[in-house]
Amino acid sequence: MRRITIAAMGAVVALGLAACSGSGAGGGSGAGDGESVDPADLTVGVAMPTQTSERWIADGDAVKAGLEEAGYKVDLQFAGDDIPTQQQQIDQMITKGADLLILASIDGTALATQLQAAADANIPVIAYDRLIRDSENVDFYVTFDNYKVGVQQATSLLVGLGLLNADGSAGDATGPFNIELFAGSLDDNNAHFFFQGAMDTLKEYIDAGTLVVKSGQTDIEQAATLRWLQETAQKRMEDLLTSTYSDGSKVQGVLSPYDGLSRGILTALQNAGYGPAIADGMPIVTGQDAEIASVKLINDDVQFSTIFKDTRKLADQAVLSAQSFLAGEEPEANDTESYDNGVKVVPSFLLDSDIVYKDNIQSLLIDSGYWTEDQVASGQA
Ligand code: BGC
């Protein structure tokens, strides 16, 4: 259905452009300049951060497929999590005459120069998943409700510990439980939203002494993981186990904001003799992205939860927003308050996310066609 909708939108855009007298939202090739523009004459530059995490590959592929289906040419680039590479890729997209940019930044504060160049060339910019900060020249933002993702991560930790039931009612457990906290990369605006949502949710339990962050490391700066690297999280978990838990005490829960980090954390725990499964004393470890390796671990009772953000829906939203700009219109926002990038509040379209536990892998991930049963069993995409 969705594919048909996008294809149909492509036709509408083509017609709209043929008829429209233009209001100047377009870039290099003159979309919206009053001439009739065939989508085939328009190029969209798509910059993704890295191919080391499967979500960004899926995002890149889905955005490209959706744009191509709508008739546009696409220049898709991945930057290997290297900031200068991403800056260069975007510079090149602009030089080559891109008509619109869709950008998932590595460092949200590092693209102001590129965005100025885009604005000078009249090229609309859509920030994809991660907000681009410190620039006037971000026209739109498509993402998930990132604060809510953090709330969901903390909620799943509380459910795993038995302090809450999955329906939100109070659980039977009383604690106190030792927990540790991990956050994402500080240069990624999302990391702050995830951590804030999580901490606001955990606060009452920490204040009551039901949850104890035994290391005392409760600031995002202490919990952060530069570039979201699995090895970095594994190393920090190893250090925490040595510094804080060599007195015979046990850690019972770990807030992790991304499946890659969760797997590093689980490896450190396993190497220290925890588990292998939750029933054997593996702590409750959360996650994000429903990466296939982690979905298998959840299915095997090793990781407790993850957050499913349907990247297919995000890609569709990016394509619809691109089509609006290229037709000389403003895309539809559903949030005009949450995402202040330091210079302005960027109009945004936020999508919903879901908590994945073992018992809803089938309904959320398999029935929706995100992963197959075989993929979940093997842990391989
Ligand atoms: C994304 C997450 C992802 C993380 C690491 C964040 O900006 O929103 O989905 O887990 O980056 O790639």
Side-chain angles (χ1 to χ4, degrees):
M1 269 307 283
R2 183 162 295 123
R3 285 179 180 280
I4 294 168
T5 315
I6 286 177
M9 277 295 294
V12 170
V13 167
L15 286 173
L17 283 171
C20 108
S21 58
S23 56
S29 311
D33 63 1
E35 294 159 28
S36 117
V37 180
D38 183 347
D41 294 330
L42 298 175
T43 302
V44 179
V46 180
M48 291 285 149
T50 177
Q51 282 170 304
T52 54
S53 146
E54 92 208 346
R55 82 149 281 187
W56 298 115
I57 302 175
D59 283 287
D61 290 348
V63 171
K64 183 168 191 281
L67 289 168
E68 286 177 347
E69 213 163 332
Y72 303 108
K73 292 206 205 68
V74 179
D75 179 4
L76 168 64
Q77 303 291 336
F78 293 89
D81 256 342
D82 183 55
I83 298 163
T85 302
Q86 185 166 63
Q87 291 169 330
Q88 210 171 50
Q89 288 173 339
I90 298 168
D91 284 337
Q92 269 168 18
M93 289 172 188
I94 296 169
T95 316
K96 286 197 288 185
D99 296 281
L100 181 135
L101 297 173
I102 297 177
L103 308 177
S105 55
I106 298 164
D107 177 334
T109 65
L111 297 179
T113 308
Q114 283 65 37
L115 262 52
Q116 188 56 53
D120 293 346
N122 210 19
I123 302 171
V125 171
I126 298 172
Y128 185 91
D129 193 81
R130 297 173 172 175
L131 185 61
I132 302 170
R133 297 190 52 85
D134 305 338
S135 171
E136 176 69 29
N137 306 309
V138 193
D139 298 290
F140 201 68
Y141 181 33
V142 292
T143 191
F144 293 87
D145 185 338
N146 295 304
Y147 180 87
K148 183 174 161 197
V149 168
V151 171
Q152 290 176 324
Q153 288 169 337
T155 300
S156 70
L157 180 64
L158 296 170
V159 169
L161 291 170
L163 292 167
L164 277 186
N165 298 315
D167 66 6
S169 60
D172 294 334
T174 50
F177 296 112
N178 292 327
I179 63 165
E180 295 298 336
L181 309 170
F182 282 71
S185 196
L186 292 178
D187 53 9
D188 179 347
N189 194 61
N190 287 349
H192 300 266
F193 275 72
F194 300 149
F195 199 72
Q196 192 64 49
M199 290 308 277
D200 287 352
T201 308
L202 298 179
K203 186 176 185 310
E204 63 179 286
Y205 298 87
I206 294 174
D207 288 350
T210 310
L211 295 178
V212 179
V213 184
K214 192 156 185 268
S215 67
Q217 299 186 12
T218 53
D219 292 339
I220 190 168
E221 287 77 14
Q222 297 170 307
T225 316
L226 182 65
R227 289 289 100 72
W228 299 89
L229 279 175
Q230 176 165 342
E231 310 81 86
T232 306
Q234 180 175 336
K235 172 79 171 58
R236 176 161 177 263
M237 191 70 234
E238 286 164 1
D239 291 347
L240 287 170
L241 290 171
T242 313
S243 63
T244 309
Y245 295 92
S246 45
D247 59 358
S249 60
K250 295 280 181 199
V251 58
Q252 285 141 322
V254 182
L255 175 80
S256 166
Y258 158 53
D259 286 343
L261 305 189
S262 314
R263 294 195 295 277
I265 291 162
L266 286 163
T267 303
L269 289 162
Q270 240 154 27
N271 291 345
Y274 285 84
I278 295 169
D280 315 307
M282 182 59 86
I284 300 302
V285 179
T286 65
Q288 172 171 209
D289 287 348
E291 291 198 337
I292 193 59
S294 289
V295 175
K296 177 180 163 47
L297 290 174
I298 294 170
N299 203 37
D300 294 346
D301 299 300
V302 178
Q303 184 173 323
F304 182 69
S305 59
T306 187
I307 306 301
F308 176 43
K309 305 195 300 190
D310 194 333
T311 50
R312 298 169 298 188
K313 292 188 183 159
L314 186 61
D316 284 356
Q317 202 54 50
V319 172
L320 288 173
S321 310
Q323 286 177 314
S324 297
F325 277 126
L326 291 170
E329 292 158 10
E330 291 296 313
E332 183 200 331
N334 66 4
D335 184 297
T336 50
E337 286 174 7
S338 303
Y339 288 97
D340 186 334
N341 78 348
V343 177
K344 71 173 197 187
V345 177
V346 183
S348 309
F349 195 97
L350 310 188
L351 292 162
D352 249 334
S353 52
D354 290 292
I355 304 176
V356 179
Y357 301 110
K358 181 177 180 168
D359 66 5
N360 63 11
I361 289 176
Q362 178 74 41
S363 60
L364 283 177
L365 300 177
I366 300 177
D367 293 351
S368 73
Y370 200 76
W371 297 122
T372 66
E373 216 168 314
D374 286 350
Q375 287 170 325
V376 172
S378 68
Q380 311 263 322

